[in-house]
Amino acid sequence: MRKLVLTAIILISTYSYSQVNKRKAFQLFKEARNEYYDDNFKEAANLFEQTVHELGTTNIQIQPFYVLSLDKIEDWKNLELEVPKFFELPNHSLNEYYKEILEIQTKLKSRLNNEKGFYLEIKQKKSVLDYKSFLDKYPESKYAPEIKKLLDNLEEEILWERSLVKNSLFSMENYLESSKLKKYASEAENIISLWDKAAKAKAIHLDTQSSYNAYLTEFPKGEYTDIIREKLALKIEDDLFETVKKRNKGRGYRDYLDNYPNGRYTEEVNKLYEKLMIDQINNINDDNNFVNLRQVTQSYKQIFPNGENISRVNKLEKRAERNLNKRNSGMLLFSYETNESFGLQLGSLRKKKLGWYLTARATTNIMESTFQRDDVIPQSDFESMTTEYETVYGSASLGLTLPIVYPIYLHAGAGVNFKQYLTLETDLVDQMPFFVEEEETLEVFPEAGLVIKLGPVLFSGGASYIREEIIYKAGLGFTF
């Protein structure tokens, strides 16, 4: 009883599933036919194929449309399968599309005969162009896989033959990169490996930067690139060391130490560099060139703070300082003059030669001056003025310094003085610059004085004869 019930259930389920498939197939068929009439033949062929799949078979209504759709899109591969199915259907000769499908069958047979003939012809020729021509013309042919295989094998042989003829690293690498079948890959790799090994041996034998770089250029991904890079790095250091040692210049030693602070020759370079500096210091000391002696001893102390000769260098530096304090130096002085001018003097003091100086000074109200002779009043008006005013002075001078007896220096020179008046601002009168008609705006004047040098400190005093008046000045400054 149980078996009968189970069988009944299976039959009912199968029937229900079948009915569902038929409804779905009918719907697909309607859609496919609509696409066909709308000239969407590719979509129609796809839907007819799905219809057959859903039904599990074909029939005299579906198959003609399916074949006609395949013909429209020239799907020769599927036509070869589907055309015979039409002629196997009952009453196929009565179908309205029988004549059209008969023509398609004739056309298909002709094409298949031509295809087979072309296949048999080119199979014997072994021509890349013929193989490609066949695949272009019959991409869906049943012979296409065989022709494709023949084409790949032929191209492989040609590519390998060319590689052997050229016999170069590029040709072998090109074979490995371009080959599809890699039939001779192991042979190509062995040849490259032998060349790689020979190039490595040559580079090491020559042992030059150019030979190592040549290897790396030729074999950027070679088997021995790491070894060659290491040897190149060592060679660069070796060559730099030999060069700086031969030139024996401070800059060269510094270059090596900057690039190789922990290099193989660092200790030796430091010794050579220190010896060079000590030799320079001794020569400069013998020449009593105290400016250079101070510079070089200070450089030595910076580079070799714990050097073997540090105590001697310290003594020579002190000697240079002592002598420089007695010899040449620059000077910078700040001064005040009896006409209420403040000045700045820059120059040099030399032990046995003439020095120079340049001075600029002005009253504090110089910024209020116009420096243009616009408002000029007569001398009589000026003398009778009741408005309060003040005088604006500005001057610049240039001169020479001469050592008399250390540490006293004479300085003398000449300059140009600028003079203007400025009314004082009140509630009734605005501040206004003016000139006096009988007075010159600019006037040349002489000056002289003394400078006393006590170590780095300078004291100065002197006088200028400006506009028939003696102007005294005093200053304080320092050497540099």
Side-chain angles (χ1 to χ4, degrees):
M1 186 64 180
R2 248 182 224 175
K3 288 183 179 180
L4 288 173
V5 172
L6 184 60
T7 302
I9 292 172
I10 292 172
L11 288 173
I12 292 169
S13 299
T14 303
Y15 175 77
S16 299
Y17 180 73
S18 175
Q19 292 301 312
V20 170
N21 282 2
K22 284 182 179 179
R23 285 196 296 271
K24 186 175 181 181
F26 180 70
Q27 184 63 34
L28 287 169
F29 174 72
K30 287 173 62 180
E31 292 177 15
R33 194 169 55 184
N34 290 335
E35 294 291 342
Y36 178 83
Y37 288 138
D38 289 339
D39 295 337
N40 297 324
F41 301 115
K42 187 172 183 179
E43 182 62 23
N46 182 47
L47 290 169
F48 284 129
E49 183 181 7
Q50 293 181 45
T51 303
V52 172
H53 177 74
E54 289 295 334
L55 283 176
T57 184
T58 187
N59 57 44
I60 198 63
Q61 291 179 318
I62 300 171
Q63 196 65 18
F65 283 107
Y66 189 18
V67 171
L68 290 170
S69 299
L70 293 172
D71 177 58
K72 294 292 186 182
I73 62 175
E74 297 185 344
D75 187 346
W76 303 107
K77 184 176 181 180
N78 281 319
L79 276 173
E80 190 176 356
L81 297 173
E82 299 301 329
V83 168
K85 292 180 183 179
F86 171 80
F87 290 102
E88 292 172 1
L89 293 171
N91 301 319
H92 63 270
S93 59
L94 301 177
N95 189 271
E96 60 179 312
Y97 298 108
Y98 172 73
K99 289 184 179 180
E100 290 184 48
I101 295 177
L102 196 62
E103 290 177 2
I104 292 172
Q105 183 188 46
T106 302
K107 183 169 60 174
L108 179 62
K109 284 180 180 180
S110 174
R111 179 182 173 84
L112 290 174
N113 288 333
N114 291 338
E115 178 183 327
K116 186 175 182 180
F118 193 13
Y119 159 74
L120 292 173
E121 180 186 350
I122 66 171
K123 188 177 179 182
Q124 304 301 322
K125 285 186 177 181
K126 294 184 178 180
S127 164
V128 170
L129 290 177
D130 287 339
Y131 290 156
K132 287 183 176 180
S133 177
F134 181 89
L135 294 172
D136 288 341
K137 193 171 183 179
Y138 305 108
E140 303 298 334
S141 170
K142 63 182 179 182
Y143 305 113
E146 182 183 354
I147 296 300
K148 180 70 170 64
K149 187 176 181 180
L150 290 171
L151 175 62
D152 288 344
N153 281 320
L154 182 57
E155 287 182 332
E156 177 78 6
E157 294 298 330
I158 292 172
L159 182 61
W160 177 241
E161 240 178 83
R162 288 175 179 171
S163 300
L164 291 175
V165 170
K166 293 182 178 179
N167 197 34
S168 67
L169 177 63
F170 175 79
S171 68
M172 292 299 166
E173 289 180 338
N174 182 58
Y175 168 81
L176 291 172
E177 184 178 342
S178 304
S179 171
K180 297 176 183 177
L181 303 180
K182 310 295 183 189
K183 184 177 177 180
Y184 302 100
S186 61
E187 293 180 45
E189 288 169 351
N190 287 336
I191 291 172
I192 291 174
S193 180
L194 289 173
W195 289 344
D196 189 357
K197 189 175 182 179
K200 180 214 50 167
K202 180 181 178 181
I204 293 175
H205 174 72
L206 294 175
D207 192 32
T208 63
Q209 291 187 43
S210 59
S211 69
Y212 293 133
N213 281 319
Y215 172 89
L216 293 172
T217 300
E218 190 174 6
F219 297 93
K221 298 179 181 179
E223 185 179 350
Y224 308 100
T225 51
D226 290 341
I227 295 173
I228 296 300
R229 283 195 182 97
E230 289 177 8
K231 288 190 171 292
L232 175 60
L234 293 174
K235 187 61 181 174
I236 292 173
E237 183 181 1
D238 291 344
D239 290 350
L240 180 59
F241 170 70
E242 291 299 329
T243 300
V244 301
K245 183 180 178 182
K246 182 178 180 180
R247 292 179 179 174
N248 194 32
K249 299 290 184 182
R251 178 178 295 178
Y253 292 136
R254 287 194 299 274
D255 287 344
Y256 177 89
L257 294 172
D258 288 343
N259 286 286
Y260 301 98
N262 299 305
R264 291 176 295 144
Y265 305 103
T266 299
E267 184 177 350
E268 186 173 352
V269 168
N270 273 317
K271 289 181 179 179
L272 290 170
Y273 191 10
E274 184 177 7
K275 183 179 182 303
L276 172 66
M277 292 200 74
I278 290 299
D279 290 343
Q280 290 177 342
I281 289 171
N282 289 333
N283 291 334
I284 293 170
N285 182 56
D286 292 342
D287 293 340
N288 290 322
N289 187 339
F290 298 111
V291 173
N292 287 344
L293 182 62
R294 179 172 62 181
Q295 292 176 348
V296 177
T297 51
Q298 289 175 350
S299 296
Y300 176 92
K301 289 171 66 176
Q302 289 178 351
I303 299 168
F304 303 104
N306 301 311
E308 294 180 2
N309 301 278
I310 192 67
S311 61
R312 171 171 167 73
V313 170
N314 283 330
K315 291 178 182 178
L316 292 176
E317 183 188 16
K318 291 178 180 178
R319 178 173 183 258
E321 291 290 350
R322 284 195 305 270
N323 281 275
L324 285 173
N325 287 334
K326 298 177 182 179
R327 293 171 66 90
N328 305 333
S329 65
M331 69 170 177
L332 183 64
L333 284 164
F334 301 93
S335 61
Y336 176 76
E337 301 185 2
T338 53
N339 64 355
E340 299 184 345
S341 294
F342 293 89
L344 180 66
Q345 185 174 19
L346 178 68
S348 65
L349 300 174
R350 299 184 179 182
K351 184 176 181 180
K352 296 181 179 180
K353 296 180 181 180
L354 291 174
W356 61 272
Y357 73 88
L358 177 66
T359 304
R361 58 243 191 205
T363 52
T364 56
N365 55 8
I366 189 69
M367 299 304 295
E368 306 299 329
S369 176
T370 61
F371 298 99
Q372 295 180 358
R373 200 174 177 87
D374 293 331
D375 194 356
V376 181
I377 64 174
Q379 180 70 34
S380 57
D381 290 349
F382 173 69
E383 291 174 352
S384 61
M385 275 184 63
T386 58
T387 304
E388 293 185 4
Y389 64 89
E390 58 185 12
T391 307
V392 179
Y393 286 109
S395 61
S397 60
L398 178 67
L400 301 173
T401 59
L402 175 68
I404 301 174
V405 177
Y406 187 82
I408 301 174
Y409 295 81
L410 171 68
H411 70 86
V416 177
N417 175 257
F418 166 83
K419 183 178 181 182
Q420 190 180 32
Y421 297 95
L422 189 67
T423 61
L424 298 181
E425 186 177 2
T426 66
D427 293 339
L428 299 177
V429 180
D430 292 332
Q431 191 177 52
M432 183 183 68
F434 65 94
F435 295 87
V436 176
E437 187 174 6
E438 287 77 11
E439 291 183 357
E440 293 293 333
T441 304
L442 298 176
E443 186 168 309
V444 178
F445 66 90
E447 65 179 4
L450 297 174
V451 177
I452 300 175
K453 179 181 177 184
L454 298 178
V457 180
L458 298 175
F459 299 91
S460 71
S464 304
Y465 187 71
I466 302 175
R467 300 179 186 274
E468 300 181 348
E469 181 182 1
I470 297 176
I471 306 297
Y472 297 98
K473 60 180 178 180
L476 178 65
F478 56 87
T479 60
F480 59 90

